[in-house]
Amino acid sequence: MAVTMPRGSLQVKSIQNYIDGRFVSSKREFADVNPADGTVIAQVAEADRDQVDAAVQAGRRALRGEWGRIGVRERAALLQRVAEGIESRFDCFVAAEVADTGKPISLASKLDVPRAAANFRVFADLIKTSGLESFQTETPDGKRALNYAVRKPLGVVGIITPWNLPLLLLTWKVAPALACGNAVVVKPSEDTPATAALLAEVMQQAGIPNGVYNAVHGFGPGSAGEFLTQHPDVNAMTFTGESQTGAAIMKTVAASVKPVSFELGGKNAAIAFADCDFDETASGVAEAVFMNTGQVCLCAERVYVERPIFEQFVQALKRKAESLKIGSPLEKMTDLGPLISSQHREKVLSYYRLATEEGAVAVTGGGVPQFGNSLDHGFYVQPTIYTGLQESARCVKEEIFGPVCHVAPFDTEEEAVHMANDTKYGLAASIWTSNLKRAHRVAQEMNVGITWVNCWFLRDLRTPFGGVGLSGIGREGGVHSLNFYSELNNICVRL
Ligand code: NAD
Ligand code: 6OD
């Protein structure tokens, strides 16, 4: 068993690596901490270099064996079984994700776990139905040739993921990688190892052959993350996490010229025009700022509001922030859980202090809530809204990754577009207006990978997803994922 759970308790005790279809311990272990109260919920096996190598070699063997021979229809059926396996252990996945991340149970039940199953279903369907282009070519001697392409797996794909939406982001990459016939070695975040281990149990029960899905645990530098990126037999790396980590991984893999896909940080803007539906916009922007305690790469940390509604909007956002129920992730009514770790809380609080030093006005929040119970040992911060900063302030330029935003007024559409685009990041934007022409015009001006109009984080998994600038390299989603996780071999036949 990857994960042992005492009867009647949600507490996880031991999390192991999953290599070649077997759960294996390691010489070293590290603690998995529940961010809601700081308690240790599991000891996690930290894979050493040899174990990472064993996982990669298991992937290679799987590709040479049964997995390398089965057809698309059977692969798709196996992915559907994985989706069913996740759904049949829904409560277990929710409990593990909530314990690891501290996110509210309502969010894990509504977003993370259903999306994990959906990731497998969507790519199971897509791999069966997607076609490739073909061209009939006229040759210089007046005859013809036929060009067509076939998909081949890349081989062993290394997948490294963060802690904010652990299962969702892991399966977002595992599902298309397996759909294309690859084997994977995943390295989930050291802060959230549990659901990757539970997924191994689901893979086993679904009949995914040994070696196709391997999970190794550990940290980045000098640990499993780096061992995986350095491994010469890994054919491609896909990574979600901080931009700086992406840069380090890129350097490591450069020597072996591997394909990379990077989904990185963001400093996303929301732009509210005076003609927006005010209540809908206040609710939508509040969700974009505070969901998952602001720990979604797509969250809006910069809110630009057209001057005629600025004061009223700031007050509406303040009311929304102050009405959020902060508390135990296990309470159904909780809106806001803790941050992931004491280290991350220190980072977010350092920005709260910096905002004051940079001259911000705290409209609400800026500190740490007190509960008078065990939650005081958790890593909570108050939802926070600032105004009054210069656009050049570090708090407006740097990703904080907490429940915080800065709200600034604007007078013209051009000014709003300029401020929104004045960032080294370029992941997502949201535009709130009832003027359809302006919505399209401004959306097309955004220098990002995804622009939402009158909504936020509304996903269709067939669409391209990724960022520009510091926010990433490449696009995943739908056929874009299939194209990343496969090599296309073009065949030219002289007729
Ligand atoms: P992180 O970069 O610190 O860690 C991500 C993963 O990389 C972890 O598994 C970690 O162990 C591993 N890692 C760290 N250093 C490594 C190294 N040198 N070599 C190999 N692996 C290494 O990110 P995080 O703090 O876990 O996640 C938060 C960040 O992720 C935020 O910046 C957020 O914006 C970003 N993010 C982006 C997206 C997106 O889709 N663009 C999605 C989610 C999160
Ligand atoms: O919805 C997705 O597919 C996705 N990759 C979301 C990323 C969220 C960032 O935290």
Side-chain angles (χ1 to χ4, degrees):
M1 287 281 283
V3 181
T4 48
M5 293 197 187
R7 210 176 272 267
S9 156
L10 292 179
Q11 262 204 344
V12 177
K13 289 292 180 203
S14 154
I15 295 177
Q16 298 182 320
N17 302 296
Y18 183 67
I19 300 172
D20 205 11
R22 285 187 318 119
F23 292 104
V24 290
S25 56
S26 303
K27 289 187 202 103
R28 280 163 54 149
E29 290 188 335
F30 61 94
D32 181 13
V33 171
N34 182 340
D37 57 11
T39 54
V40 173
I41 47 177
Q43 289 300 326
V44 188
E46 182 182 353
D48 59 23
R49 197 183 283 276
D50 288 346
Q51 288 181 310
V52 172
D53 178 57
V56 174
Q57 299 315 330
R60 301 222 73 80
R61 277 195 302 282
L63 291 164
R64 290 193 300 270
E66 179 195 355
W67 180 247
R69 289 190 295 272
I70 68 171
V72 165
R73 218 170 27 185
E74 199 177 336
R75 246 190 269 143
L78 282 167
L79 294 194
Q80 291 286 4
R81 288 230 286 277
V82 173
E84 285 158 21
I86 293 171
E87 284 161 352
S88 73
R89 302 182 66 182
F90 189 88
D91 292 345
C92 202
F93 273 101
V94 168
E97 205 71 311
V98 168
D100 261 7
T101 60
K103 68 178 61 194
I105 194 164
S106 57
L107 186 61
S109 310
K110 192 179 70 182
L111 175 68
D112 300 68
V113 180
R115 245 306 287 280
N119 285 339
F120 283 99
R121 289 200 196 289
V122 163
F123 287 106
D125 286 343
L126 195 63
I127 196 66
K128 282 193 301 189
T129 53
S130 80
L132 284 166
E133 59 203 355
S134 70
F135 298 95
Q136 184 146 279
T137 309
E138 289 182 16
T139 60
D141 60 2
K143 296 193 174 155
R144 286 175 185 239
L146 178 66
N147 281 279
Y148 67 96
V150 290
R151 278 189 197 288
K152 297 173 87 171
L154 293 166
V156 176
V157 178
I159 298 178
I160 299 184
T161 48
W163 44 257
N164 61 327
L165 306 168
L167 183 68
L168 185 161
L169 293 171
L170 185 91
T171 54
W172 172 239
K173 291 176 182 295
V174 170
L178 298 193
C180 291
N182 299 286
V184 298
V185 179
V186 308
K187 208 296 284 170
S189 167
E190 55 273 31
D191 289 316
T192 54
T195 45
L198 279 175
L199 186 63
E201 293 182 5
V202 167
M203 292 279 173
Q204 214 170 39
Q205 282 155 12
I208 299 286
N210 292 348
V212 172
Y213 173 86
N214 304 278
V216 291
H217 298 288
F219 303 82
S223 184
E226 194 172 82
F227 303 152
L228 185 59
T229 56
Q230 286 175 339
H231 202 293
D233 292 336
V234 169
N235 300 96
M237 275 307 308
T238 175
F239 168 74
T240 305
E242 277 192 22
S243 304
Q244 271 184 352
T245 314
I249 293 177
M250 198 160 176
K251 219 170 168 180
T252 309
V253 302
S256 52
V257 199
K258 293 185 209 312
V260 291
S261 173
F262 286 164
E263 297 179 343
L264 308 177
K267 187 74 184 177
N268 311 301
I271 305 177
F273 287 94
D275 62 10
C276 68
D277 178 321
F278 189 89
D279 292 341
E280 213 175 87
T281 303
S283 299
V285 171
E287 191 183 29
V289 174
F290 299 119
M291 180 191 267
N292 204 35
T293 318
Q295 301 167 116
V296 178
C297 58
L298 308 160
C299 276
E301 291 191 2
R302 298 180 295 141
V303 180
Y304 298 107
V305 182
E306 202 168 0
R307 202 173 297 274
I309 60 164
F310 179 75
E311 291 300 337
Q312 192 193 352
F313 195 85
V314 169
Q315 289 311 311
L317 212 52
K318 175 180 191 289
R319 282 193 298 278
K320 297 270 176 206
E322 290 174 356
S323 70
L324 291 170
K325 188 170 175 339
I326 312 176
S328 163
L330 296 172
E331 294 287 337
K332 281 204 177 103
M333 301 308 287
T334 294
D335 299 306
L336 219 64
L339 295 169
I340 188 68
S341 62
S342 63
Q343 194 190 8
H344 187 52
R345 177 164 75 166
E346 194 32 57
K347 175 185 160 184
V348 172
L349 289 175
S350 76
Y351 277 101
Y352 284 11
R353 290 191 292 274
L354 178 66
T356 310
E357 284 161 32
E358 289 187 314
V361 175
V363 174
T364 187
V368 171
Q370 295 301 314
F371 300 96
N373 58 33
S374 63
L375 299 183
D376 286 333
H377 301 294
F379 313 129
Y380 289 84
V381 293
Q382 290 173 329
T384 298
I385 299 170
Y386 292 113
T387 56
L389 286 171
Q390 300 287 320
E391 280 299 293
S392 56
R394 280 182 55 205
C395 287
V396 178
K397 289 283 170 254
E398 297 172 14
E399 184 187 48
I400 301 173
F401 221 53
V404 54
C405 68
H406 177 249
V407 195
F410 70 85
D411 292 302
T412 65
E413 183 180 309
E414 291 70 28
E415 192 191 359
V417 168
H418 172 77
M419 291 195 292
N421 281 340
D422 188 15
T423 168
K424 291 194 164 119
Y425 290 101
L427 188 57
S430 62
I431 295 161
W432 304 82
T433 177
S434 56
N435 179 333
L436 197 58
K437 280 194 175 167
R438 172 151 57 201
H440 285 285
R441 195 167 56 230
V442 175
Q444 292 185 24
E445 288 286 322
M446 290 294 101
N447 193 21
V448 295
I450 311 125
T451 304
W452 280 289
V453 176
N454 296 328
C455 59
W456 175 77
F457 204 0
L458 181 61
R459 296 281 287 117
D460 180 326
L461 306 188
R462 297 168 298 182
T463 59
F465 184 94
V468 306
L470 283 186
S471 292
I473 297 179
R475 294 289 179 275
E476 297 198 34
V479 75
H480 307 277
S481 294
L482 301 188
N483 287 342
F484 175 72
Y485 292 103
S486 52
E487 292 288 6
L488 297 185
N489 176 7
N490 186 70
I491 296 164
C492 177
V493 184
R494 193 178 163 87
L495 300 177

